[in-house]
Amino acid sequence: MAEEMKTNADNEVKSDVEETIEPVFEEEVQTDNGQSDIVAEYEAKLEEANTRILRLQADYDNFRRRTKLEIEANQKYRAQTIITDLLPVLDNFDRALQTQVDQEQAKSLLQGMEMVYRLLIEAIKKEGVEMIDAVGKEFDPHLHQAVMVVEVEDTDSGIVIEEFQKGYKLKDRVIRPSMVKVSQ
Amino acid sequence: MAEEMKTNADNEVKSDVEETIEPVFEEEVQTDNGQSDIVAEYEAKLEEANTRILRLQADYDNFRRRTKLEIEANQKYRAQTIITDLLPVLDNFDRALQTQVDQEQAKSLLQGMEMVYRLLIEAIKKEGVEMIDAVGKEFDPHLHQAVMVVEVEDTDSGIVIEEFQKGYKLKDRVIRPSMVKVSQ
């Protein structure tokens, strides 16, 4: 009986424990009543101890699994806060680079700034950041936020025709959808 | 005897377990030799089970402690990679902002870029990044890298007198020391 209960417990907790403390006797020893009582009491104690070992091991295994997943997720999205804080930098940088200039100093300054912008994009790409494709793509509510819907001749409906603000993804997470104009 | 061994094991592994499975009898039952053997065998089995419970609990506790520290350290320095990758952005940005201009377009462009730079510094400061103070400070080999040593009149020796490249710290970690000129 003790053997049977142990097996049940084992299945239930799906533990990695291979061996448990074996009962001293497979079957109850029947010499006299006093001895039988003692044996029963010992078997119960052993049973209790084995159950505790199995529970503890199962808890430990579960904790290890959960922790591993938690550490992996933390690692995967570790840049999320700083990337979110960098969005205004990217937006303003982007806008400034579109300034129309014709004077020499401004032109050369813009060139230098384009280089700095490329380095910035490179740094965030290395952490898993991607710009979301928008213009010309089919509208996708997971990636795009439609702030305008307009009728356009010779264009199917549901196509992104203009991007007002760039969207960004960190690996498989959308950090911010693109803000777009969509054809009706 | 079993009681005593249990106590030793308890001290050794410094476990949080408060209670263990108690032996059935405090002292060995002495009715006949056969029964005494059985009792001894059971006591040994229980002892074995208790030791395993204590060990398992101690392992589990240690694992939990280590994991907690690991998760905290990961969290604390999570931005280190991206900050390191952002250093060339900061250096080049810094340099570009020092361009001397007198034409209107360039002046207004520089103003816009200074705003972008401030946003960038703000974003990295929020993650715990600090610029290392250098000029006027006592030279500190943990924070500063001396690339030039010069004699300066009316200046004590070992003072940073010029900074060639900014240094950065992430919380208590130096990501890159300042590159400086020091007085002799």
Side-chain angles (χ1 to χ4, degrees), chain B residues 2 14 19 31 41 44 84 108 117 168:
Chain B
K14 301 218 190 311
E19 29 132 29
T31 44
E41 206 169 334
T84 308
S108 115
Y117 183 73
Y168 293 93

Side-chain angles (χ1 to χ4, degrees), chain A residues 17-25 29 32 34-35 38-43 45-46 48-50 52-54 56-57 59-60 63-64 66-67 70-71 74-75 78-79 81-83 85-86 88-90 92-93 96-97 99-110 112-113 115-116 119-121 123-124 126-127, chain B residues 17 19-25 29 31-32 34-35 38-43 45-46 48-50 52-54 56-57 59-60 63-64 66-67 70-71 74-75 78-79 81-83 85-86 88-90 92-93 96-97 99-110 112-113 115-116 119-121 123-124 126-127:
Chain A
V17 170
E18 287 135 34
E19 29 131 29
T20 53
I21 311 289
E22 290 301 325
V24 176
F25 298 100
V29 181
D32 62 56
Q35 188 160 341
I38 295 166
V39 166
E41 205 170 335
Y42 269 118
E43 289 293 348
K45 289 276 177 192
L46 271 178
E48 196 189 325
N50 280 335
R52 252 171 80 180
I53 288 169
L54 290 171
L56 208 48
Q57 185 69 50
D59 283 353
Y60 191 1
F63 182 79
R64 254 195 307 231
R66 273 203 321 272
T67 303
E70 190 186 333
I71 289 176
N74 283 350
Q75 186 64 9
R78 62 184 175 182
T81 315
I82 189 165
I83 294 300
D85 289 335
L86 284 176
V89 178
L90 294 166
N92 283 290
F93 215 144
L97 289 181
T99 315
Q100 297 301 319
V101 295
D102 49 27
Q103 294 176 350
E104 273 318 301
Q105 288 180 348
K107 278 186 188 171
S108 113
L109 203 53
L110 264 184
M113 285 304 167
M115 195 261 280
V116 176
L119 290 171
L120 176 57
I121 297 299
I124 64 172
K126 268 181 79 177
E127 272 293 306
Chain B
V17 171
E19 29 132 29
T20 54
I21 311 288
E22 290 301 324
V24 176
F25 299 99
V29 181
T31 44
D32 61 56
Q35 188 160 341
I38 294 166
V39 167
E41 206 169 334
Y42 269 117
E43 290 292 348
K45 288 275 177 192
L46 272 177
E48 196 189 325
N50 280 335
R52 253 173 78 181
I53 288 170
L54 290 171
L56 208 47
Q57 185 68 50
D59 283 354
Y60 192 1
F63 182 79
R64 253 194 309 229
R66 272 205 319 274
T67 303
E70 191 186 333
I71 289 177
N74 283 350
Q75 186 66 7
R78 64 184 174 182
T81 315
I82 189 164
I83 294 300
D85 290 335
L86 284 175
V89 178
L90 294 166
N92 283 289
F93 215 145
L97 289 182
T99 314
Q100 297 300 319
V101 295
D102 48 28
Q103 293 177 351
E104 271 318 301
Q105 288 180 349
K107 278 185 187 171
S108 115
L109 203 54
L110 264 185
M113 284 306 165
M115 195 259 281
V116 176
L119 289 171
L120 176 56
I121 297 298
I124 63 172
K126 266 180 82 177
E127 273 292 306

Side-chain angles (χ1 to χ4, degrees), chain B residues 3-20:
Chain B
E3 193 60 46
E4 203 184 305
M5 278 180 67
K6 180 174 73 62
T7 310
N8 285 342
D10 213 327
N11 289 339
E12 196 187 320
V13 293
K14 301 218 190 311
S15 163
D16 296 344
V17 171
E18 288 135 33
E19 29 132 29
T20 54

Side-chain angles (χ1 to χ4, degrees), chain B residues 129-144:
Chain B
V129 173
E130 277 175 62
M131 289 181 191
I132 293 172
D133 279 338
V135 175
K137 300 275 163 192
E138 209 171 308
F139 174 74
D140 178 345
H142 297 108
L143 302 173
H144 309 130

